Amino acid sequence: MFNSKFNNVLTILLVVAIIGIIILIGYFGFSVYNKYKINADAKNIVDAFEQVSNSQKNEIPRENVVDRGDLGSLDGNSTIYQGGTSSGTTTKYGGYEVYGTISIPKINIQYPILEKPTPQAIKIAVAYLSGVGVNKVGNTVIQGHNYRNGMFFSNLKKLTNGDKIYITDPSGTKITYSVYNVFEASATDSSFYNRDTAGLREITLSTCTDDRKT
């Protein structure tokens, strides 16, 4: 009888273990698929947005390299490609207007910049949080999640001074920004959002140190 009960317990434990393994495989499989789908969809939007921009763009490079050591953003203008006027059409992604695109080759990301950082918007891309506006003179804050899986702004910590960030706006203007400062602030500190940029275009890329929160 003891052996029979012991065998029954082992059978139950084995079944539970198998179910657990299946659930884990399903969870990780779904996570990988979801990451691939979001990144693929985002890249398609980026390509479509920049194709329209490139059709308007007059590539007139203007060097504007700065060396900034003060408290700032992941920025400091380097090369500007000045485009033409907007076509008047609006690109949307997930129901949100696309204000521009961001590309950071070092951490292999390309995303549309959506109009506002609602909980749903920053599950599929990054978003405009505050400031003067994409590629305008002054500081613009762009927010993205840190999922610790390489998506969105998970790998901002890998950026160092001099790394390049490319922003394209609806007018066809593509600006290359250079990282000049990486810093950590408290969750309630937004004092660095509004600052004197001395007539330069700057961006602040904002994320958090905890996964899933921004």
Side-chain angles (χ1 to χ4, degrees), residues 63-75:
E63 294 299 326
N64 185 20
V65 180
V66 297
D67 182 13
R68 299 289 298 277
D70 56 334
L71 178 66
S73 65
L74 301 175
D75 173 63

Side-chain angles (χ1 to χ4, degrees), residues 49 51-58 81-89 169-173:
F49 184 93
Q51 184 176 6
V52 172
S53 297
N54 288 334
S55 69
Q56 304 175 62
K57 185 172 62 178
N58 300 313
Y81 296 91
Q82 184 64 48
T85 59
S86 174
S87 64
T89 60
D169 62 45
S171 73
T173 301

Side-chain angles (χ1 to χ4, degrees), residues 80-199:
I80 297 177
Y81 296 91
Q82 184 64 48
T85 59
S86 174
S87 64
T89 60
T90 299
T91 300
K92 287 197 172 184
Y93 178 50
Y96 297 93
E97 185 177 345
V98 177
Y99 277 10
T101 67
I102 181 170
S103 173
I104 311 179
K106 183 173 181 178
I107 57 176
N108 193 32
I109 66 169
Q110 283 184 292
Y111 291 107
I113 302 168
L114 304 185
E115 60 184 290
K116 53 189 174 181
T118 66
Q120 183 57 37
I122 55 177
K123 285 182 180 179
I124 59 174
V126 301
Y128 166 81
L129 178 62
S130 69
V132 294
V134 177
N135 283 348
K136 293 183 179 179
V137 173
N139 182 49
T140 297
V141 184
I142 301 170
Q143 188 178 58
H145 267 311
N146 172 13
Y147 285 138
R148 296 185 182 178
N149 63 357
M151 293 179 67
F152 309 125
F153 287 165
S154 298
N155 287 326
L156 286 189
K157 60 185 176 293
K158 295 182 179 180
L159 297 180
T160 57
N161 288 355
D163 289 336
K164 304 302 181 185
I165 300 168
Y166 302 94
I167 305 285
T168 301
D169 62 45
S171 73
T173 301
K174 182 176 183 180
I175 298 182
T176 305
Y177 295 85
S178 297
V179 175
Y180 72 81
N181 196 4
V182 180
F183 60 92
E184 185 175 332
S186 69
T188 58
D189 181 12
S190 61
S191 60
F192 53 89
Y193 285 8
N194 300 310
R195 61 179 183 276
D196 181 8
T197 65

Side-chain angles (χ1 to χ4, degrees), residues 29-44 93 111 149 151:
F30 175 78
S31 296
V32 170
Y33 169 77
N34 191 52
K35 176 181 176 180
Y36 170 80
K37 187 177 187 307
I38 289 174
N39 284 339
D41 289 346
K43 187 178 184 305
N44 287 338
Y93 178 50
Y111 291 107
N149 63 357
M151 293 179 67

